[in-house]
Amino acid sequence: CTSVVAEDDEGNLFHARNLDFGIFMGWDVKNKSWIISEKLKPLVINLNFKRNNQTLFKSTNFAGYVGLLTGVKPNLFTLTMNERFNLDGGFVGILEWIFGKRDGMWMGFLMRSVLENANSYKEAQTLLVQTKLLAPAYFILGGNQTGQGCIITRSRLHSIDVLELDLKLGRWYVLETNYDHWNEPLFLDDRRTSAMKCMNQTTQTNITPKTMYDVLSTKPVLNKLTVYTTLMQVSGGKLESFIRDCPNPCMPW
Amino acid sequence: STQFIPPYTEECRTEMYPPAGPTFRSAVSWYTVDLDSPPSDRWTALITDKKNDLLVVIKAIRDFANALVPSGRLVELVDISLPLMVETLPKPYGEEIKAIAAVAGLPLGEVVLYNIFYEVFTV
C-alpha cells in the first residue's frame, strides 16, 4: 500500500492511497497477476454510512468486510491504514484472543469505530495511538486544519512513533508504504523513493487530488497488487475511488 | 529505458486524471449503510447485489488454503472453529458478519476469516 496526506499552499488537506493486497496468494501465470488481487476488484465499493438520515462517514470497502481500511469523516478527518509486517504479528494477537485475552482491537473494527465515534483529528489520533491492537499497523491520519496529518507506527501494544506534517521544516506531506519511515525500505520493494520523487516534483503549490492520482499511477507505486486508488478531501468529505490495473511490464509488488 | 528493467520505475506520470486508459479498470459504485437499522439488516441489499463476487473470492481463499494444506484440514478448522469466534467479536460486528454469511449462503467461519484477514495475513 501507499498512503499520502498532503497540504497545499492554501492549507487544504488531501489524502490519497493505493490499496495493494494479495501478495504470495497465488500467481496467475497466464494473466501475470495475483489471483486474490484480481478477484477482490469486483468487490470494491464506496459506502456512505448514515445515521439519522445524514452521512456520518464514507469509506472505500470490500463487500462483505464490515471493518474499514479507507475512510473520511466529512470536514473532520481522513484515515487509511497500511500493513506493517512484524514478528510480533497478528498470529500472537489471534492466539491471545482465542485463549480469552480480549483487550486488543481488531484493526478494521478499530478503524470503523474511530470514524464512527471520533469527532476531531486529535480525538482520532488519541484512539489510534492508545488502543491496543491484535496486529501491528500503520495508520495514516489527516485532519481539517493546517499541519494536521500524521503517520502512526503501531506495534500491537503501543505507538512506536508519530510523524506529523511540519510546514516549518518543509514537510508538507507524509507518505507511508509498508516500512518504518526511519528505516530504508527493502531494496526489492522501494515504492517510497518513487512516490516521494513524484511528490517533490509535483511541489506543494501544485498538489491536488488529481496530481496525487498521478503519483499513485506511477510504477512501481502502481503495481500488480494495486486493487484500488482512493482520493479524499476532508473539506466537504469528498471521496472517489478507482479500480486499477498495472499493464506489463509491471512489478509484482 | 529504466521502465523496462525491474522494478520498472517510470518517470513521474502526469495528466492521468480523469482516470482512463490501461491503468484504469472501472469506477466504483456507491451503497448506503444505515446505522439506524439493525446490524442484521444493514448489509442485506449490498450483499444481495455482490453475492456472486463474494462467493468467488471466498472460493479462491478456500482453494488457496487447500493448496497450503491439501488434506483439507485447514478449511475444516476454519469452518468448525471460527464460527465460535464470531460470538466473541465486539458489537455490532459479530451480528453483521452472521447476517452477511446468511444472506450470501456462505459458511460462517469463512466469512469470519475474510473479516479478520488483516490479522491473519500479517503472520
Side-chain angles (χ1 to χ4, degrees):
Chain A
C1 300
T2 305
S3 288
V4 197
V5 176
E7 179 173 336
D8 74 5
D9 279 342
E10 292 167 0
N12 298 305
L13 283 152
F14 309 115
H15 192 154
R17 74 115 83 231
N18 273 357
L19 185 126
D20 303 348
F21 189 81
I23 193 165
F24 304 137
M25 295 188 64
W27 176 255
D28 180 341
V29 178
K30 189 178 160 201
N31 295 309
K32 293 184 180 167
S33 62
W34 294 102
I35 293 168
I36 296 288
S37 312
E38 286 304 302
K39 294 199 187 300
L40 277 172
K41 288 178 184 178
L43 285 179
V44 179
I45 44 166
N46 290 329
L47 293 177
N48 191 349
F49 285 84
K50 288 195 164 188
R51 182 168 286 154
N52 299 326
N53 224 16
Q54 287 188 325
T55 297
L56 189 61
F57 57 97
K58 300 174 185 175
S59 74
T60 306
N61 262 53
F62 294 111
Y65 184 75
V66 302
L68 287 187
L69 305 172
T70 305
V72 54
K73 191 148 188 177
N75 304 311
L76 293 177
F77 61 88
T78 52
L79 178 60
T80 59
M81 67 79 49
N82 288 10
E83 191 159 13
R84 181 168 185 256
F85 298 98
N86 194 280
L87 281 177
D88 184 10
F91 186 62
V92 181
I94 292 171
L95 278 180
E96 283 188 358
W97 187 274
I98 289 169
F99 288 110
K101 192 168 180 235
R102 295 183 185 137
D103 53 346
M105 190 72 163
W106 300 86
M107 194 279 311
F109 301 159
L110 173 64
M111 293 272 291
R112 179 167 150 190
S113 167
V114 167
L115 275 151
E116 205 164 329
N117 299 312
N119 285 310
S120 70
Y121 170 81
K122 280 288 167 197
E123 206 179 321
Q125 192 182 54
T126 303
L127 285 167
L128 295 166
V129 163
Q130 292 183 353
T131 308
K132 194 177 161 189
L133 293 167
L134 268 75
Y138 299 104
F139 294 115
I140 302 90
L141 177 68
N144 61 1
Q145 287 169 37
T146 180
Q148 289 189 336
C150 67
I151 298 165
I152 300 165
T153 303
R154 280 295 313 261
S155 72
R156 289 196 308 117
L157 304 181
H158 59 269
S159 165
I160 294 169
D161 183 81
V162 180
L163 177 72
E164 304 228 35
L165 290 176
D166 192 333
L167 300 177
K168 285 179 191 161
L169 288 179
R171 196 188 299 136
W172 56 275
Y173 68 87
V174 284
L175 189 147
E176 177 58 52
T177 58
N178 300 95
Y179 299 92
D180 296 345
H181 69 82
W182 57 93
N183 289 332
E184 288 298 313
L186 185 69
F187 73 100
L188 284 170
D189 180 29
D190 186 6
R191 286 161 284 127
R192 186 202 289 169
T193 303
S194 298
M196 289 183 73
K197 180 185 157 202
C198 295
M199 287 295 289
N200 294 338
Q201 210 165 296
T202 303
T203 73
Q204 188 181 11
T205 307
N206 294 316
I207 200 72
T208 64
K210 292 176 183 178
T211 52
M212 287 170 92
Y213 185 82
D214 291 337
V215 174
L216 294 173
S217 299
T218 302
K219 296 172 189 175
V221 185
L222 179 76
N223 58 70
K224 291 283 185 187
L225 287 168
T226 307
V227 177
Y228 67 76
T229 298
T230 294
L231 310 173
M232 295 184 283
Q233 192 170 346
V234 67
S235 160
K238 290 172 204 152
L239 177 146
E240 55 179 344
S241 50
F242 310 96
I243 298 169
R244 306 304 304 267
D245 276 327
C246 192
N248 298 320
C250 177
M251 270 300 270
W253 51 79
Chain B
S1 62
T2 58
Q3 72 182 35
F4 298 104
I5 306 163
Y8 309 116
T9 306
E10 295 179 316
E11 289 301 310
C12 297
R13 304 298 295 260
T14 57
E15 306 298 328
M16 296 294 286
Y17 193 98
T23 65
F24 168 67
R25 180 175 294 188
S26 65
V28 176
S29 43
W30 280 91
Y31 291 85
T32 297
V33 177
D34 182 3
L35 295 171
D36 293 320
S37 65
S40 55
D41 293 346
R42 284 173 193 173
W43 301 92
T44 305
L46 162 61
I47 297 303
T48 305
D49 227 24
K50 291 282 184 183
K51 184 177 165 177
N52 291 338
D53 295 324
L54 186 56
L55 293 175
V56 169
V57 169
I58 298 279
K59 183 182 176 300
I61 295 171
R62 199 184 301 141
D63 291 346
F64 177 69
N66 280 329
L68 280 180
V69 183
S71 65
R73 280 288 170 84
L74 187 56
V75 174
E76 207 176 288
L77 188 72
V78 166
D79 286 341
I80 292 169
S81 61
L82 288 191
L84 304 173
M85 192 191 268
V86 80
E87 301 298 340
T88 69
L89 296 179
K91 288 181 178 175
Y93 310 115
E95 284 300 308
E96 293 182 7
I97 289 169
K98 278 197 268 183
I100 288 168
V103 173
L106 282 163
L108 179 57
E110 292 173 27
V111 180
V112 172
L113 177 65
Y114 177 70
N115 272 278
I116 61 168
F117 218 73
Y118 176 74
E119 279 76 9
V120 175
F121 197 70
T122 50
V123 174

